[in-house]
């Protein structure tokens, strides 16, 4: 850490200085009603008419009786003041660092006022709509398509799309001047077919140490003679892939064990949709199986409303493996932290955003881990800017309260290519290369994935970019490897819309922040990831336990779904070291970038040879037991891990010095 950074850390603000800055940031906190017609003009909401609403696709006006359900987002009292305070309270170089507000204080200063809510409600009802629910963030509304023109100065039309006929506003909606200052956006008038997806994949690889089909550490075991010879150009051709890792190994590799930190005093929230009725029992069984303690009474809890779950057919009802992965990794990396699962009622934004707001409004946690995301640019319609703004508002309020949010950067597995060419999550509707949302929000920590090699002592051996290129499944005794070309990799890249946040100016090279995927130049933009941890699928998968059809079992999983909750656990440990909540973590991460482990390319790459490879053998008990795959790791297409900050691994991965530095200075 440079002396300049150390000086910033040691700076203690006087009460007078804090008062002066606070006064500046709270200007305009007094409740104010919506602007009058002579104070503000009607506001047009860009992007509220989706990209599929073109003249050539127009199928005519939507039936006037068609029922709509939509959401009107409230701007609150002082949006710029909220953003400014969120930055100041999160920045270790600021005199206001960690001067967090309570949830009630944040609502009183920044939430929508009763007069704003009343004015917006009256406007909507006056147009003929029915208000179904209201909170400080938004108003939920229903009504007929016939009422849209009166409220929004546009009409509803039907459009032919690749997902069938969808209705949407014919033009961008307009908010009348009488309520324009109180409304930040409207979503739901355009039919959405996009939704969030989770970021995990299963290898089907079971167990664990001493399994003859895998190595306890990198290079321990050679492949059986029944595996085909490896093509020229591959290094270390005879090494069996590592066994699926467990939390004790991750704690050792990332310095948690050596630090003796346990996350005591912190609470981690896991946001997903729906929930497993056996989650706590599964996590307890998993912990005991791998030498850790189960949850103590009251250490695990859930916020879930099964009676309100919707869209199970679309969202994957019973996707319990994701929840199990998230909870078990968070608990495994921070064994003494409390964990609360907050289950959204579906995988659609309206429900996921409600889950995030639930945490902020009731301050349910200090750290919130999210192993899901969605595409911003799609043939089915780009993500509504109103939604992006609404997410950012909740994240900013969380920062003001000292709550950190993290999101997985995304994964992809297919038979072509990933990350740069096809976007994230193998979404075939993605329009060109892009980063995910909410991962690319400037107010969250984007957590990328790595491939982690253990040493003989079970600790950190080496680390490189998460990305596997594998052969087809090959039978024992085959003369050559089956051709398949399947790839698996993590997300990363540059946002096409989000400006570069202040904390990235400290570390991110200008070349990366100003170069779009097509090579064109732009003003500095947000890049992801921020930090990374193990998430590889075949080289260094992670063991997960869950109950399916009444039977508990374990298997290997990979993806940035592993990385995000693991980081949440590490951040809980850092919180314990610091002696209280860190809040929005990115400024602290980038100030400590020189302390993180710089994750680069394979340390054993030789000349033009392909990067290291391993042989994956399906274990006993698997349907393909005895079969092999040749796996080349560190193969992310277009996202190489390089020295310093990169678009594959961010600043790198945490370690003992990185963790302990949170206890070096008190603020």
């Amino acid at each position: 850490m440079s002396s300049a950074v150390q000086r910033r850390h040691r700076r203690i603000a006087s009460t007078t200085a804090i008062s002066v800055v606070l006064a500046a940031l709270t200007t305009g906190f007094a409740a104010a009603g919506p602007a009058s017609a002579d104070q503000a003009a009607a506001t047009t909401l860009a992007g509220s008419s989706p990209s599929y609403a073109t003249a050539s696709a127009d199928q005519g006006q939507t039936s006037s009786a068609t029922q709509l359900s939509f959401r009107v987002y409230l701007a609150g009292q002082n949006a710029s003041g909220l953003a400014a305070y969120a930055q100041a309270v999160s920045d270790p170089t600021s005199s206001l660092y960690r001067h967090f507000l309570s949830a009630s204080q944040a609502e009183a200063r920044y939430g929508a006022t009763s007069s704003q809510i009343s004015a917006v409600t009256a406007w909507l009802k006056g147009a003929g709509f029915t208000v179904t629910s209201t909170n400080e963030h938004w108003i939920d509304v229903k009504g007929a398509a016939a009422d849209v023109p009166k409220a929004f100065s546009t009409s509803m039309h039907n459009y032919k799309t690749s997902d069938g006929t969808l209705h949407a506003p014919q033009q961008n909606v307009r908010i009348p001047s009488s309520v324009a200052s109180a409304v930040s956006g409207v979503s739901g008038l355009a039919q959405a077919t996009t939704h969030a997806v989770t970021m995990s994949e299963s290898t089907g690889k079971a167990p664990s140490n001493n399994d003859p089909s895998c190595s306890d550490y990198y290079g321990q075991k050679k492949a059986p003679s029944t595996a085909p010879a490896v093509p020229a150009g591959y290094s270390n051709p005879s090494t069996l892939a590592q066994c699926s890792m467990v939390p004790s190994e991750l704690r050792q590799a990332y310095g948690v064990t050596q630090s003796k930190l346990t996350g005591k005093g912190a609470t981690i929230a896991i946001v997903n949709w729906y929930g497993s009725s056996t989650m706590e029992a599964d996590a307890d069984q998993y912990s005991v199986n791998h030498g850790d303690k189960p949850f103590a009474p009251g250490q695990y809890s859930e916020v879930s409303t099964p009676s309100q779950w919707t869209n199970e057919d679309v969202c994957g009802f019973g996707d319990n493996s994701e929840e199990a992965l998230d909870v078990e990794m968070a608990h495994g990396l921070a064994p003494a932290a409390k964990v609360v699962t907050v289950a959204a009622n579906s995988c659609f934004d309206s429900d996921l955003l409600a889950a995030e707001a639930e945490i902020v409004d009731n301050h349910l946690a200090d750290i919130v881990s999210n192993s899901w995301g969605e595409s911003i640019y799609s043939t089915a319609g780009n993500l509504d800017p109103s939604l992006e703004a609404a997410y950012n508002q909740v994240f900013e309020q969380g920062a003001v309260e000292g709550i950190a949010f993290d999101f997985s950067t995304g994964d992809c597995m297919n038979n072509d290519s990933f990350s740069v060419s096809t976007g994230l999550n193998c979404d075939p509707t993605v329009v060109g290369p892009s980063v995910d949302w909410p991962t690319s929000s400037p107010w969250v920590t984007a957590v990328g994935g790595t491939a982690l090699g253990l040493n003989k002592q079970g600790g950190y051996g080496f680390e490189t970019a998460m990305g596997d290129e594998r052969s087809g499944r090959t039978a024992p005794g085959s003369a050559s490897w089956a051709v398949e070309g399947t790839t698996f990799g993590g997300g990363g890249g540059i946002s096409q819309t989000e400006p570069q946040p202040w904390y990235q100016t400290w570390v991110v090279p200008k070349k990366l922040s100003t170069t779009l995927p097509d090579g064109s130049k732009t003003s500095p933009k947000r890049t992801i990831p921020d930090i990374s941890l193990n998430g590889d699928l075949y080289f260094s998968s992670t063991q997960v336990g869950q109950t399916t059809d009444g039977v508990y079992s374990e298997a290997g999983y990979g993806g940035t779904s592993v990385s995000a909750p693991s980081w949440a656990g590490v951040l809980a440990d850092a919180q314990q070291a610091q002696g209280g909540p860190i809040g929005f973590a990115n400024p602290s991460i980038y100030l400590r970038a020189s302390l993180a482990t710089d994750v680069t390319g394979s340390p054993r790459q030789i000349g033009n040879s392909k990067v290291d490879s391993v042989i994956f053998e399906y274990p006993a008990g698997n349907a393909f037991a005895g079969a092999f795959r040749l796996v080349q790791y560190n193969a992310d297409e277009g996202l190489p891990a390089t020295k310093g900050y990169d678009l594959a691994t961010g600043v790198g991965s945490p370690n003992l010095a990185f963790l302990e530095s949170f206890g070096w200075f008190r603020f």
Side-chain angles (χ1 to χ4, degrees):
M1 183 179 295
S2 69
S3 59
V5 173
Q6 291 177 5
R7 285 195 296 272
R8 292 191 189 108
H9 277 276
R10 294 191 181 106
R11 184 170 59 201
I12 305 297
S14 68
T15 304
T16 301
I18 292 173
S19 299
V20 170
V21 178
L22 184 59
L25 291 174
T26 56
T27 300
F29 285 155
S36 63
D38 63 348
Q39 292 174 319
T43 298
T44 300
L45 298 180
S48 50
S49 180
S51 55
Y52 65 73
T54 63
S56 60
D58 198 331
Q59 303 293 295
Q61 192 161 324
T62 304
S63 169
S64 60
T66 299
Q67 292 298 298
L68 309 173
S69 294
F70 59 95
R71 179 170 286 178
V72 176
Y73 294 103
L74 300 168
Q77 299 170 59
N78 185 7
S80 60
L82 173 61
Y85 196 85
Q87 175 174 335
V89 80
S90 305
D91 186 348
T93 71
S94 166
S95 60
L96 281 175
Y97 180 53
R98 294 183 66 205
H99 286 265
F100 301 126
L101 304 181
S102 67
S104 59
Q105 288 173 326
E107 179 180 356
R109 288 186 180 181
Y110 302 112
T113 66
S114 57
S115 59
Q116 288 175 320
I117 294 173
S118 296
V120 175
T121 299
W123 160 58
L124 293 167
K125 288 183 175 180
F129 294 114
T130 299
V131 171
T132 58
S133 66
T134 300
N135 61 34
E136 66 175 278
H137 305 287
W138 59 72
I139 298 174
D140 284 328
V141 188
K142 67 178 182 180
D147 297 323
V148 168
K150 183 177 180 180
F152 300 111
S153 301
T154 187
S155 59
M156 299 295 294
H157 278 225
N158 295 331
Y159 295 91
K160 184 178 180 179
T161 77
S162 57
D163 293 298
T165 300
L166 304 177
H167 63 244
Q170 186 183 30
Q171 299 169 328
N172 286 333
V173 305
R174 290 174 60 81
I175 308 299
S177 59
S178 59
V179 292
S181 67
V183 174
S184 64
V186 178
S187 69
L189 289 173
Q191 279 182 289
T193 59
T194 58
H195 55 82
V197 296
T198 54
M199 309 297 192
S200 66
E201 298 278 355
S202 174
T203 63
K205 177 168 68 175
S208 76
N209 294 349
N210 301 317
D211 187 318
S213 65
C214 59
S215 298
D216 293 343
Y217 55 88
Y218 182 79
Q220 179 198 24
K221 297 179 182 178
K222 295 186 180 298
S225 59
T226 51
V230 174
Y234 283 80
S235 55
N236 289 325
S238 59
T239 300
L240 281 178
Q242 294 176 149
C243 302
S244 295
M245 295 185 185
V246 297
S248 59
E249 293 170 318
L250 295 174
R251 292 197 302 270
Q252 176 75 14
Y254 290 123
V256 176
T257 300
Q258 301 89 316
S259 73
K260 303 188 185 314
L261 296 167
T262 61
K264 184 177 181 180
T267 300
I268 301 169
I270 303 295
V271 175
N272 211 314
W273 43 93
Y274 316 140
S276 167
S277 60
T278 62
M279 186 63 259
E280 185 172 8
D282 289 348
D284 287 346
Q285 183 66 60
Y286 178 82
S287 297
V288 171
N289 286 357
H290 301 291
D292 289 334
K293 292 182 180 180
F295 282 118
Q299 190 181 358
Y300 177 77
S301 60
E302 297 178 353
V303 177
S304 182
T305 53
S307 64
Q308 298 178 38
W309 292 352
T310 62
N311 294 298
E312 293 96 332
D313 55 334
V314 175
C315 299
F317 179 75
D319 185 18
N320 297 338
S321 59
E322 182 61 61
E323 183 184 3
L325 169 56
D326 293 350
V327 171
E328 288 163 9
M329 289 305 102
H331 180 51
L333 272 294
K338 291 184 177 181
V339 177
V340 53
T341 292
V342 181
N345 291 328
S346 79
C347 62
F348 284 84
D349 285 295
S350 56
D351 290 320
L352 287 164
L353 184 54
E356 309 289 351
E358 170 88 3
I359 295 168
V360 169
D361 293 344
N362 297 287
H363 204 108
L364 298 181
D366 308 301
I367 301 157
V368 187
S369 184
N370 299 266
S371 293
W372 54 269
E374 61 188 307
S375 302
I376 300 176
Y377 309 109
S378 170
T379 57
N382 296 343
L383 190 66
D384 191 334
S386 293
L387 270 173
E388 296 181 53
Y391 272 111
N392 279 337
Q393 184 187 62
V394 170
F395 298 148
E396 288 170 356
Q397 184 176 330
V400 163
E401 295 179 26
I403 301 174
F405 292 84
D406 74 44
F407 280 82
S408 302
T409 56
D411 316 314
C412 183
M413 177 191 282
N414 65 11
N415 293 320
D416 182 17
S417 57
F418 50 86
S419 298
V420 172
S421 295
T422 59
L424 300 175
N425 311 316
C426 300
D427 183 351
T429 71
V430 170
V431 182
S434 60
V435 291
D436 229 343
W437 184 267
T439 312
S440 54
S441 165
W443 293 102
V444 308
T445 298
V447 187
T450 67
L452 172 65
L454 299 178
N455 60 25
K456 190 173 182 178
Q457 292 72 40
Y460 187 98
F462 67 93
E463 208 167 7
T464 189
M466 185 185 90
D468 297 331
E469 184 173 292
R470 68 183 192 181
S471 72
R473 198 166 45 244
T474 304
S478 298
S480 60
W481 294 96
V483 176
E484 182 174 295
T486 296
T487 58
F488 178 80
I494 180 171
S495 170
Q496 297 182 36
T497 57
E498 292 291 337
Q500 184 179 56
W502 83 98
Y503 50 82
Q504 287 200 313
T505 64
W506 303 335
V507 172
V508 177
K510 186 175 181 180
K511 182 178 179 180
L512 290 182
S513 66
T514 58
T515 306
L516 294 174
D518 63 2
S520 62
K521 294 297 181 179
T522 180
S523 59
K525 294 289 193 292
R526 166 81 160 120
T527 56
I528 64 171
D530 298 305
I531 198 165
S532 296
L533 294 87
N534 180 65
D536 192 90
L537 180 60
Y538 279 88
F539 172 65
S540 54
S541 62
T542 304
Q543 193 88 336
V544 176
Q546 63 172 322
T547 295
T548 303
D549 297 328
V551 178
Y552 175 86
S553 63
E554 297 185 4
Y557 279 77
T560 52
S561 280
V562 177
S563 312
S566 297
W567 165 249
V570 171
L571 190 60
D573 298 327
Q575 174 173 319
Q576 180 188 5
Q578 184 164 272
I582 294 166
F584 175 46
N586 286 8
S588 292
I589 291 172
Y590 283 89
L591 280 175
R592 290 169 170 82
S594 62
L595 295 177
T597 300
D598 189 5
V599 178
T600 61
S602 169
R604 280 167 295 281
Q605 186 169 350
I606 303 173
N608 294 322
S609 296
K610 294 184 179 180
V611 294
D612 283 51
S613 60
V614 295
I615 292 176
F616 178 95
E617 181 180 3
Y618 285 90
N622 188 281
F624 307 107
F628 302 101
R629 289 187 189 272
L630 178 61
V631 179
Q632 173 189 326
Y633 59 87
N634 187 35
D636 268 358
E637 179 239 341
L639 296 175
T642 60
K643 186 177 180 180
Y645 179 92
D646 58 62
L647 300 179
T649 64
V651 301
S653 62
N655 55 39
L656 178 61
F658 182 90
L659 264 174
E660 289 185 334
S661 70
F662 285 89
W664 293 347
F665 304 102
R666 300 293 178 180
F667 300 96

